[in-house]
Tab-separated table of all heavy atoms in Angstrom:
chain	number	residue	atom	x	y	z
A	1	MET	N	-8.233	104.433	24.464
A	1	MET	CA	-8.698	104.745	23.118
A	1	MET	C	-10.043	105.469	23.202
A	1	MET	O	-10.924	105.079	23.948
A	1	MET	CB	-8.847	103.449	22.317
A	1	MET	CG	-9.162	103.682	20.877
A	1	MET	SD	-8.959	102.123	19.987
A	1	MET	CE	-10.179	102.320	18.743
A	2	GLU	N	-10.185	106.514	22.425
A	2	GLU	CA	-11.414	107.300	22.414
A	2	GLU	C	-12.552	106.522	21.762
A	2	GLU	O	-12.337	105.828	20.765
A	2	GLU	CB	-11.169	108.589	21.637
A	2	GLU	CG	-11.736	109.805	22.320
A	2	GLU	CD	-11.329	111.078	21.607
A	2	GLU	OE1	-10.238	111.586	21.912
A	2	GLU	OE2	-12.108	111.516	20.772
A	3	GLU	N	-13.731	106.670	22.354
A	3	GLU	CA	-14.906	106.001	21.792
A	3	GLU	C	-15.286	106.664	20.466
A	3	GLU	O	-15.319	107.877	20.353
A	3	GLU	CB	-16.070	106.115	22.769
A	3	GLU	CG	-17.324	105.427	22.325
A	3	GLU	CD	-18.481	105.661	23.308
A	3	GLU	OE1	-18.258	106.296	24.346
A	3	GLU	OE2	-19.586	105.217	22.992
A	4	LYS	N	-15.572	105.834	19.467
A	4	LYS	CA	-15.995	106.364	18.181
A	4	LYS	C	-17.425	106.847	18.258
A	4	LYS	O	-18.262	106.248	18.932
A	4	LYS	CB	-15.924	105.289	17.106
A	4	LYS	CG	-14.635	105.237	16.384
A	4	LYS	CD	-14.760	104.382	15.148
A	4	LYS	CE	-13.448	104.378	14.418
A	4	LYS	NZ	-13.467	103.526	13.252
A	5	VAL	N	-17.710	107.892	17.560
A	5	VAL	CA	-19.078	108.386	17.435
A	5	VAL	C	-19.693	107.704	16.219
A	5	VAL	O	-19.078	107.624	15.165
A	5	VAL	CB	-19.104	109.919	17.265
A	5	VAL	CG1	-20.505	110.407	16.945
A	5	VAL	CG2	-18.568	110.595	18.513
A	6	THR	N	-20.906	107.201	16.400
A	6	THR	CA	-21.614	106.557	15.296
A	6	THR	C	-22.856	107.365	14.969
A	6	THR	O	-23.609	107.748	15.867
A	6	THR	CB	-22.020	105.125	15.686
A	6	THR	OG1	-20.840	104.397	16.010
A	6	THR	CG2	-22.758	104.428	14.557
A	7	VAL	N	-23.058	107.631	13.704
A	7	VAL	CA	-24.248	108.338	13.226
A	7	VAL	C	-25.046	107.358	12.383
A	7	VAL	O	-24.544	106.835	11.391
A	7	VAL	CB	-23.865	109.577	12.384
A	7	VAL	CG1	-25.115	110.275	11.865
A	7	VAL	CG2	-23.001	110.531	13.191
A	8	LYS	N	-26.271	107.120	12.817
A	8	LYS	CA	-27.097	106.148	12.112
A	8	LYS	C	-28.394	106.822	11.687
A	8	LYS	O	-29.089	107.432	12.515
A	8	LYS	CB	-27.401	104.970	13.047
A	8	LYS	CG	-28.086	103.821	12.371
A	8	LYS	CD	-28.162	102.630	13.308
A	8	LYS	CE	-28.830	101.461	12.631
A	8	LYS	NZ	-28.912	100.294	13.510
A	9	ILE	N	-28.702	106.725	10.409
A	9	ILE	CA	-29.948	107.285	9.886
A	9	ILE	C	-31.001	106.190	10.001
A	9	ILE	O	-30.903	105.156	9.331
A	9	ILE	CB	-29.798	107.718	8.410
A	9	ILE	CG1	-28.536	108.557	8.181
A	9	ILE	CG2	-31.067	108.423	7.938
A	9	ILE	CD1	-28.456	109.825	8.980
A	10	LEU	N	-31.978	106.409	10.855
A	10	LEU	CA	-33.004	105.387	11.045
A	10	LEU	C	-34.068	105.519	9.954
A	10	LEU	O	-34.485	106.631	9.616
A	10	LEU	CB	-33.634	105.517	12.427
A	10	LEU	CG	-32.666	105.339	13.597
A	10	LEU	CD1	-33.419	105.422	14.923
A	10	LEU	CD2	-31.901	104.031	13.503
A	11	PRO	N	-34.510	104.406	9.382
A	11	PRO	CA	-35.521	104.466	8.331
A	11	PRO	C	-36.784	105.170	8.826
A	11	PRO	O	-37.305	104.821	9.888
A	11	PRO	CB	-35.816	102.992	8.020
A	11	PRO	CG	-34.682	102.220	8.614
A	11	PRO	CD	-34.136	103.040	9.741
A	12	ASN	N	-37.222	106.170	8.088
A	12	ASN	CA	-38.453	106.912	8.425
A	12	ASN	C	-38.432	107.472	9.845
A	12	ASN	O	-39.474	107.563	10.499
A	12	ASN	CB	-39.687	106.025	8.237
A	12	ASN	CG	-39.759	105.447	6.849
A	12	ASN	OD1	-39.446	106.108	5.871
A	12	ASN	ND2	-40.143	104.182	6.744
A	13	GLY	N	-37.231	107.821	10.320
A	13	GLY	CA	-37.103	108.311	11.688
A	13	GLY	C	-35.923	109.245	11.853
A	13	GLY	O	-35.445	109.845	10.884
A	14	PRO	N	-35.454	109.381	13.083
A	14	PRO	CA	-34.423	110.369	13.387
A	14	PRO	C	-33.013	109.947	12.981
A	14	PRO	O	-32.790	108.822	12.534
A	14	PRO	CB	-34.515	110.475	14.912
A	14	PRO	CG	-34.938	109.112	15.330
A	14	PRO	CD	-35.878	108.626	14.260
A	15	ILE	N	-32.092	110.861	13.190
A	15	ILE	CA	-30.662	110.576	13.093
A	15	ILE	C	-30.224	110.215	14.499
A	15	ILE	O	-30.352	111.036	15.420
A	15	ILE	CB	-29.894	111.814	12.589
A	15	ILE	CG1	-30.382	112.200	11.198
A	15	ILE	CG2	-28.397	111.555	12.615
A	15	ILE	CD1	-29.905	113.582	10.758
A	16	PHE	N	-29.749	108.985	14.692
A	16	PHE	CA	-29.371	108.509	16.012
A	16	PHE	C	-27.857	108.541	16.122
A	16	PHE	O	-27.155	107.923	15.326
A	16	PHE	CB	-29.915	107.099	16.237
A	16	PHE	CG	-29.865	106.672	17.667
A	16	PHE	CD1	-30.624	107.310	18.630
A	16	PHE	CD2	-29.047	105.622	18.058
A	16	PHE	CE1	-30.575	106.930	19.962
A	16	PHE	CE2	-28.989	105.229	19.387
A	16	PHE	CZ	-29.754	105.878	20.329
A	17	ILE	N	-27.368	109.281	17.120
A	17	ILE	CA	-25.925	109.445	17.292
A	17	ILE	C	-25.533	108.856	18.639
A	17	ILE	O	-26.134	109.196	19.660
A	17	ILE	CB	-25.518	110.931	17.223
A	17	ILE	CG1	-26.035	111.553	15.925
A	17	ILE	CG2	-24.007	111.079	17.314
A	17	ILE	CD1	-25.870	113.063	15.854
A	18	THR	N	-24.531	107.973	18.631
A	18	THR	CA	-24.043	107.392	19.875
A	18	THR	C	-22.566	107.733	20.047
A	18	THR	O	-21.819	107.775	19.082
A	18	THR	CB	-24.219	105.858	19.897
A	18	THR	OG1	-23.544	105.296	18.777
A	18	THR	CG2	-25.679	105.465	19.854
A	19	GLY	N	-22.189	107.980	21.283
A	19	GLY	CA	-20.814	108.338	21.604
A	19	GLY	C	-20.824	109.506	22.572
A	19	GLY	O	-21.884	110.004	22.953
A	20	GLU	N	-19.637	109.933	22.984
A	20	GLU	CA	-19.531	111.090	23.880
A	20	GLU	C	-19.748	112.351	23.061
A	20	GLU	O	-18.957	112.654	22.164
A	20	GLU	CB	-18.147	111.132	24.538
A	20	GLU	CG	-17.844	109.954	25.425
A	20	GLU	CD	-18.617	109.984	26.733
A	20	GLU	OE1	-19.065	111.079	27.156
A	20	GLU	OE2	-18.777	108.909	27.327
A	21	LEU	N	-20.833	113.072	23.362
A	21	LEU	CA	-21.197	114.219	22.538
A	21	LEU	C	-21.309	115.492	23.354
A	21	LEU	O	-21.704	115.461	24.512
A	21	LEU	CB	-22.564	113.985	21.884
A	21	LEU	CG	-22.735	112.704	21.090
A	21	LEU	CD1	-24.198	112.495	20.767
A	21	LEU	CD2	-21.913	112.747	19.836
A	22	LYS	N	-20.981	116.597	22.732
A	22	LYS	CA	-21.278	117.917	23.306
A	22	LYS	C	-22.187	118.610	22.316
A	22	LYS	O	-21.839	118.780	21.141
A	22	LYS	CB	-20.013	118.740	23.524
A	22	LYS	CG	-20.339	120.131	24.061
A	22	LYS	CD	-19.120	120.877	24.528
A	22	LYS	CE	-18.271	121.349	23.402
A	22	LYS	NZ	-17.130	122.165	23.847
A	23	ILE	N	-23.371	118.998	22.775
A	23	ILE	CA	-24.331	119.699	21.927
A	23	ILE	C	-24.277	121.176	22.278
A	23	ILE	O	-24.399	121.539	23.446
A	23	ILE	CB	-25.749	119.132	22.127
A	23	ILE	CG1	-25.747	117.660	21.734
A	23	ILE	CG2	-26.770	119.920	21.321
A	23	ILE	CD1	-27.015	116.944	22.080
A	24	VAL	N	-24.081	121.997	21.270
A	24	VAL	CA	-24.075	123.445	21.455
A	24	VAL	C	-25.357	123.974	20.812
A	24	VAL	O	-25.539	123.883	19.605
A	24	VAL	CB	-22.842	124.104	20.801
A	24	VAL	CG1	-22.848	125.611	21.060
A	24	VAL	CG2	-21.555	123.457	21.302
A	25	HIS	N	-26.239	124.509	21.648
A	25	HIS	CA	-27.530	125.002	21.168
A	25	HIS	C	-27.381	126.392	20.545
A	25	HIS	O	-26.349	127.046	20.707
A	25	HIS	CB	-28.540	125.019	22.328
A	25	HIS	CG	-28.908	123.649	22.792
A	25	HIS	ND1	-29.984	122.952	22.272
A	25	HIS	CD2	-28.335	122.821	23.700
A	25	HIS	CE1	-30.071	121.765	22.864
A	25	HIS	NE2	-29.081	121.657	23.738
A	26	ARG	N	-28.461	126.805	19.868
A	26	ARG	CA	-28.443	128.111	19.195
A	26	ARG	C	-28.079	129.246	20.131
A	26	ARG	O	-27.413	130.194	19.745
A	26	ARG	CB	-29.829	128.429	18.612
A	26	ARG	CG	-30.097	127.797	17.311
A	26	ARG	CD	-31.324	128.380	16.673
A	26	ARG	NE	-32.420	128.523	17.637
A	26	ARG	CZ	-33.620	128.922	17.323
A	26	ARG	NH1	-33.891	129.235	16.091
A	26	ARG	NH2	-34.565	129.021	18.227
A	27	ASP	N	-28.559	129.161	21.388
A	27	ASP	CA	-28.278	130.241	22.334
A	27	ASP	C	-26.909	130.104	22.986
A	27	ASP	O	-26.545	130.894	23.849
A	27	ASP	CB	-29.379	130.306	23.406
A	27	ASP	CG	-29.437	129.055	24.281
A	27	ASP	OD1	-28.582	128.144	24.117
A	27	ASP	OD2	-30.339	128.984	25.131
A	28	GLY	N	-26.149	129.102	22.573
A	28	GLY	CA	-24.786	128.932	23.056
A	28	GLY	C	-24.643	127.997	24.239
A	28	GLY	O	-23.527	127.616	24.585
A	29	HIS	N	-25.769	127.631	24.887
A	29	HIS	CA	-25.591	126.728	26.033
A	29	HIS	C	-25.240	125.327	25.541
A	29	HIS	O	-25.625	124.914	24.452
A	29	HIS	CB	-26.792	126.774	26.998
A	29	HIS	CG	-27.849	125.757	26.774
A	29	HIS	ND1	-28.923	125.973	25.950
A	29	HIS	CD2	-28.004	124.496	27.275
A	29	HIS	CE1	-29.702	124.904	25.955
A	29	HIS	NE2	-29.165	123.990	26.743
A	30	GLU	N	-24.448	124.656	26.356
A	30	GLU	CA	-23.911	123.368	25.958
A	30	GLU	C	-24.415	122.283	26.888
A	30	GLU	O	-24.692	122.536	28.055
A	30	GLU	CB	-22.376	123.396	26.030
A	30	GLU	CG	-21.768	124.428	25.115
A	30	GLU	CD	-20.250	124.471	25.210
A	30	GLU	OE1	-19.662	123.714	26.023
A	30	GLU	OE2	-19.660	125.266	24.467
A	31	GLU	N	-24.548	121.089	26.362
A	31	GLU	CA	-24.879	119.949	27.207
A	31	GLU	C	-24.114	118.726	26.718
A	31	GLU	O	-23.841	118.574	25.535
A	31	GLU	CB	-26.376	119.670	27.249
A	31	GLU	CG	-27.006	119.308	25.935
A	31	GLU	CD	-28.503	119.037	26.061
A	31	GLU	OE1	-28.881	118.116	26.818
A	31	GLU	OE2	-29.263	119.740	25.398
A	32	GLU	N	-23.726	117.898	27.688
A	32	GLU	CA	-23.020	116.656	27.393
A	32	GLU	C	-24.049	115.542	27.299
A	32	GLU	O	-24.948	115.453	28.127
A	32	GLU	CB	-22.029	116.341	28.516
A	32	GLU	CG	-21.048	117.451	28.825
A	32	GLU	CD	-19.906	117.547	27.839
A	32	GLU	OE1	-19.569	116.507	27.234
A	32	GLU	OE2	-19.367	118.654	27.667
A	33	ARG	N	-23.913	114.717	26.287
A	33	ARG	CA	-24.812	113.573	26.106
A	33	ARG	C	-23.996	112.383	25.649
A	33	ARG	O	-22.931	112.519	25.078
A	33	ARG	CB	-25.858	113.865	25.019
A	33	ARG	CG	-26.872	114.919	25.357
A	33	ARG	CD	-28.185	114.243	25.717
A	33	ARG	NE	-29.244	115.230	25.798
A	33	ARG	CZ	-30.464	115.060	25.314
A	33	ARG	NH1	-30.788	113.949	24.692
A	33	ARG	NH2	-31.378	115.983	25.457
A	34	LYS	N	-24.541	111.217	25.886
A	34	LYS	CA	-23.914	110.002	25.381
A	34	LYS	C	-24.595	109.554	24.093
A	34	LYS	O	-23.940	109.114	23.169
A	34	LYS	CB	-23.975	108.900	26.434
A	34	LYS	CG	-22.597	108.326	26.736
A	34	LYS	CD	-22.718	107.116	27.604
A	34	LYS	CE	-21.491	106.318	27.836
A	34	LYS	NZ	-20.275	106.558	27.228
A	35	ASN	N	-25.892	109.652	24.040
A	35	ASN	CA	-26.653	109.269	22.860
A	35	ASN	C	-27.675	110.351	22.590
A	35	ASN	O	-28.190	110.968	23.514
A	35	ASN	CB	-27.406	107.945	23.094
A	35	ASN	CG	-26.471	106.847	23.499
A	35	ASN	OD1	-25.443	106.637	22.877
A	35	ASN	ND2	-26.822	106.156	24.560
A	36	VAL	N	-27.986	110.543	21.337
A	36	VAL	CA	-29.004	111.525	21.013
A	36	VAL	C	-29.706	111.133	19.716
A	36	VAL	O	-29.098	110.548	18.820
A	36	VAL	CB	-28.372	112.936	20.922
A	36	VAL	CG1	-27.489	113.073	19.700
A	36	VAL	CG2	-29.417	114.020	20.914
A	37	ALA	N	-30.998	111.421	19.648
A	37	ALA	CA	-31.763	111.234	18.415
A	37	ALA	C	-32.191	112.607	17.933
A	37	ALA	O	-32.886	113.333	18.651
A	37	ALA	CB	-32.980	110.349	18.671
A	38	LEU	N	-31.746	112.980	16.751
A	38	LEU	CA	-32.059	114.299	16.193
A	38	LEU	C	-33.179	114.179	15.170
A	38	LEU	O	-33.155	113.301	14.302
A	38	LEU	CB	-30.814	114.893	15.522
A	38	LEU	CG	-29.622	115.144	16.438
A	38	LEU	CD1	-28.443	115.679	15.624
A	38	LEU	CD2	-29.972	116.104	17.570
A	39	CYS	N	-34.125	115.091	15.288
A	39	CYS	CA	-35.286	115.090	14.392
A	39	CYS	C	-34.864	115.430	12.968
A	39	CYS	O	-34.093	116.348	12.742
A	39	CYS	CB	-36.304	116.113	14.884
A	39	CYS	SG	-37.735	116.293	13.811
A	40	ARG	N	-35.397	114.700	12.023
A	40	ARG	CA	-35.224	115.086	10.617
A	40	ARG	C	-36.553	115.152	9.880
A	40	ARG	O	-36.593	115.331	8.681
A	40	ARG	CB	-34.216	114.187	9.902
A	40	ARG	CG	-34.640	112.782	9.683
A	40	ARG	CD	-33.469	112.001	9.067
A	40	ARG	NE	-33.832	110.623	8.919
A	40	ARG	CZ	-33.974	110.008	7.755
A	40	ARG	NH1	-33.753	110.644	6.629
A	40	ARG	NH2	-34.313	108.743	7.716
A	41	CYS	N	-37.656	115.016	10.619
A	41	CYS	CA	-38.975	115.097	9.975
A	41	CYS	C	-39.551	116.510	10.083
A	41	CYS	O	-40.452	116.862	9.334
A	41	CYS	CB	-39.938	114.100	10.603
A	41	CYS	SG	-40.577	114.589	12.226
A	42	GLY	N	-39.071	117.309	11.055
A	42	GLY	CA	-39.556	118.668	11.228
A	42	GLY	C	-40.767	118.796	12.137
A	42	GLY	O	-41.239	119.899	12.371
A	43	HIS	N	-41.280	117.704	12.675
A	43	HIS	CA	-42.504	117.743	13.484
A	43	HIS	C	-42.267	117.701	14.988
A	43	HIS	O	-43.223	117.833	15.756
A	43	HIS	CB	-43.433	116.591	13.097
A	43	HIS	CG	-43.977	116.703	11.706
A	43	HIS	ND1	-44.911	117.632	11.346
A	43	HIS	CD2	-43.685	116.001	10.581
A	43	HIS	CE1	-45.199	117.508	10.060
A	43	HIS	NE2	-44.457	116.521	9.570
A	44	SER	N	-41.045	117.519	15.435
A	44	SER	CA	-40.784	117.414	16.871
A	44	SER	C	-41.125	118.716	17.598
A	44	SER	O	-40.855	119.811	17.104
A	44	SER	CB	-39.308	117.078	17.110
A	44	SER	OG	-39.029	117.107	18.500
A	45	ASN	N	-41.702	118.590	18.774
A	45	ASN	CA	-41.930	119.753	19.634
A	45	ASN	C	-40.754	119.989	20.567
A	45	ASN	O	-40.830	120.854	21.448
A	45	ASN	CB	-43.214	119.559	20.456
A	45	ASN	CG	-44.450	119.710	19.594
A	45	ASN	OD1	-44.537	120.610	18.769
A	45	ASN	ND2	-45.406	118.813	19.767
A	46	ASN	N	-39.704	119.221	20.399
A	46	ASN	CA	-38.515	119.343	21.235
A	46	ASN	C	-37.262	119.414	20.365
A	46	ASN	O	-36.267	118.750	20.641
A	46	ASN	CB	-38.443	118.150	22.209
A	46	ASN	CG	-37.375	118.330	23.252
A	46	ASN	OD1	-37.048	119.448	23.637
A	46	ASN	ND2	-36.801	117.223	23.711
A	47	LYS	N	-37.325	120.181	19.280
A	47	LYS	CA	-36.181	120.289	18.366
A	47	LYS	C	-34.951	120.823	19.089
A	47	LYS	O	-35.109	121.653	19.978
A	47	LYS	CB	-36.518	121.221	17.201
A	47	LYS	CG	-37.569	120.648	16.275
A	47	LYS	CD	-37.810	121.605	15.128
A	47	LYS	CE	-38.951	121.186	14.272
A	47	LYS	NZ	-40.268	121.552	14.812
A	48	PRO	N	-33.788	120.334	18.801
A	48	PRO	CA	-33.464	119.504	17.646
A	48	PRO	C	-33.659	118.012	17.893
A	48	PRO	O	-33.296	117.202	17.045
A	48	PRO	CB	-31.982	119.816	17.412
A	48	PRO	CG	-31.446	120.021	18.802
A	48	PRO	CD	-32.560	120.719	19.553
A	49	PHE	N	-34.237	117.655	19.029
A	49	PHE	CA	-34.338	116.242	19.372
A	49	PHE	C	-35.626	115.634	18.840
A	49	PHE	O	-36.653	116.300	18.722
A	49	PHE	CB	-34.265	116.057	20.898
A	49	PHE	CG	-33.057	116.719	21.495
A	49	PHE	CD1	-33.175	117.860	22.274
A	49	PHE	CD2	-31.790	116.223	21.237
A	49	PHE	CE1	-32.064	118.491	22.796
A	49	PHE	CE2	-30.666	116.846	21.761
A	49	PHE	CZ	-30.802	117.988	22.542
A	50	CYS	N	-35.573	114.355	18.581
A	50	CYS	CA	-36.749	113.603	18.160
A	50	CYS	C	-37.631	113.353	19.388
A	50	CYS	O	-37.134	113.005	20.452
A	50	CYS	CB	-36.289	112.265	17.570
A	50	CYS	SG	-37.615	111.105	17.239
A	51	ASP	N	-38.936	113.568	19.227
A	51	ASP	CA	-39.862	113.255	20.319
A	51	ASP	C	-40.872	112.177	19.915
A	51	ASP	O	-41.875	111.981	20.585
A	51	ASP	CB	-40.586	114.524	20.797
A	51	ASP	CG	-41.559	115.080	19.768
A	51	ASP	OD1	-41.634	114.540	18.642
A	51	ASP	OD2	-42.260	116.054	20.092
A	52	GLY	N	-40.612	111.522	18.810
A	52	GLY	CA	-41.494	110.448	18.344
A	52	GLY	C	-42.589	110.925	17.404
A	52	GLY	O	-43.355	110.110	16.888
A	53	ALA	N	-42.659	112.218	17.142
A	53	ALA	CA	-43.726	112.764	16.291
A	53	ALA	C	-43.646	112.240	14.858
A	53	ALA	O	-44.653	112.245	14.157
A	53	ALA	CB	-43.675	114.289	16.291
A	54	HIS	N	-42.485	111.792	14.428
A	54	HIS	CA	-42.360	111.280	13.055
A	54	HIS	C	-43.319	110.110	12.818
A	54	HIS	O	-43.870	109.971	11.738
A	54	HIS	CB	-40.912	110.858	12.753
A	54	HIS	CG	-40.383	109.800	13.651
A	54	HIS	ND1	-39.800	110.076	14.876
A	54	HIS	CD2	-40.401	108.453	13.537
A	54	HIS	CE1	-39.455	108.939	15.456
A	54	HIS	NE2	-39.809	107.945	14.664
A	55	GLY	N	-43.517	109.305	13.849
A	55	GLY	CA	-44.427	108.161	13.729
A	55	GLY	C	-45.877	108.611	13.574
A	55	GLY	O	-46.597	108.106	12.709
A	56	LYS	N	-46.270	109.584	14.386
A	56	LYS	CA	-47.659	110.080	14.338
A	56	LYS	C	-47.941	110.792	13.023
A	56	LYS	O	-49.077	110.829	12.564
A	56	LYS	CB	-47.912	111.049	15.490
A	56	LYS	CG	-47.880	110.410	16.853
A	56	LYS	CD	-48.128	111.473	17.931
A	56	LYS	CE	-47.358	111.086	19.179
A	56	LYS	NZ	-46.690	112.188	19.823
A	57	ASN	N	-46.908	111.397	12.439
A	57	ASN	CA	-47.096	112.169	11.215
A	57	ASN	C	-46.783	111.376	9.945
A	57	ASN	O	-46.814	111.937	8.851
A	57	ASN	CB	-46.233	113.434	11.277
A	57	ASN	CG	-46.786	114.430	12.263
A	57	ASN	OD1	-47.798	115.068	12.000
A	57	ASN	ND2	-46.173	114.526	13.430
A	58	GLY	N	-46.468	110.114	10.096
A	58	GLY	CA	-46.239	109.255	8.935
A	58	GLY	C	-45.039	109.668	8.105
A	58	GLY	O	-45.056	109.520	6.882
A	59	PHE	N	-43.976	110.167	8.764
A	59	PHE	CA	-42.783	110.603	8.033
A	59	PHE	C	-42.186	109.449	7.227
A	59	PHE	O	-41.965	108.362	7.725
A	59	PHE	CB	-41.737	111.136	9.020
A	59	PHE	CG	-40.405	111.466	8.387
A	59	PHE	CD1	-40.295	112.484	7.462
A	59	PHE	CD2	-39.265	110.754	8.727
A	59	PHE	CE1	-39.071	112.801	6.893
A	59	PHE	CE2	-38.033	111.048	8.172
A	59	PHE	CZ	-37.935	112.076	7.250
A	60	LYS	N	-41.961	109.716	5.945
A	60	LYS	CA	-41.291	108.764	5.059
A	60	LYS	C	-40.064	109.460	4.482
A	60	LYS	O	-40.152	110.607	4.031
A	60	LYS	CB	-42.209	108.331	3.902
A	60	LYS	CG	-43.488	107.661	4.339
A	60	LYS	CD	-43.240	106.276	4.836
A	60	LYS	CE	-44.537	105.606	5.215
A	60	LYS	NZ	-44.430	104.750	6.365
A	61	ASP	N	-38.923	108.779	4.497
A	61	ASP	CA	-37.695	109.427	4.023
A	61	ASP	C	-37.394	109.144	2.561
A	61	ASP	O	-36.352	109.514	2.066
A	61	ASP	CB	-36.518	109.074	4.918
A	61	ASP	CG	-36.262	107.584	5.018
A	61	ASP	OD1	-36.888	106.811	4.264
A	61	ASP	OD2	-35.456	107.201	5.867
A	62	GLU	N	-38.303	108.524	1.888
A	62	GLU	CA	-38.066	108.306	0.439
A	62	GLU	C	-39.152	108.948	-0.374
A	62	GLU	O	-40.240	109.170	0.061
A	62	GLU	CB	-38.004	106.817	0.140
A	62	GLU	CG	-36.761	106.207	0.725
A	62	GLU	CD	-36.567	104.761	0.289
A	62	GLU	OE1	-37.064	104.376	-0.778
A	62	GLU	OE2	-35.912	104.029	1.035
B	1	FES	S1	-37.638	112.451	13.434
B	1	FES	FE1	-38.681	111.943	15.233
B	1	FES	S2	-39.884	113.673	15.668
B	1	FES	FE2	-38.863	114.178	13.837
């Protein structure tokens, strides 16, 4: 049975995705990941991934 992908919106933080993932970047290169945290605050220096900057910048999602 295939593993389900779970997308979890963390309070005041990133979108955390667990499962077997293939990420296709803007330039077309692909990478396989098992878990990933995607930035939704806009402050990460490693977009599209979360680098923890949401905490330093006081990101609030409400
Ligand atoms: S959500 Fe973590 S750096 Fe943006």
Side-chain angles (χ1 to χ4, degrees):
M1 187 168 148
E2 224 173 274
E3 182 184 356
K4 269 193 178 177
V5 172
T6 301
V7 178
K8 188 172 181 180
I9 312 301
L10 299 183
N12 305 321
I15 299 167
F16 194 65
I17 306 171
T18 57
E20 297 287 338
L21 306 168
K22 177 169 73 176
I23 299 171
V24 182
H25 292 269
R26 278 192 315 185
D27 64 4
H29 94 270
E30 299 179 358
E31 62 180 300
E32 305 282 333
R33 292 257 191 138
K34 234 189 171 355
N35 304 312
V36 70
L38 298 178
C39 176
R40 69 185 177 114
C41 76
H43 294 289
S44 174
N45 287 317
N46 190 30
K47 292 182 187 81
F49 307 109
C50 171
D51 68 356
H54 59 274
K56 293 179 212 138
N57 288 287
F59 173 65
K60 300 286 182 216
D61 58 9
E62 291 188 26

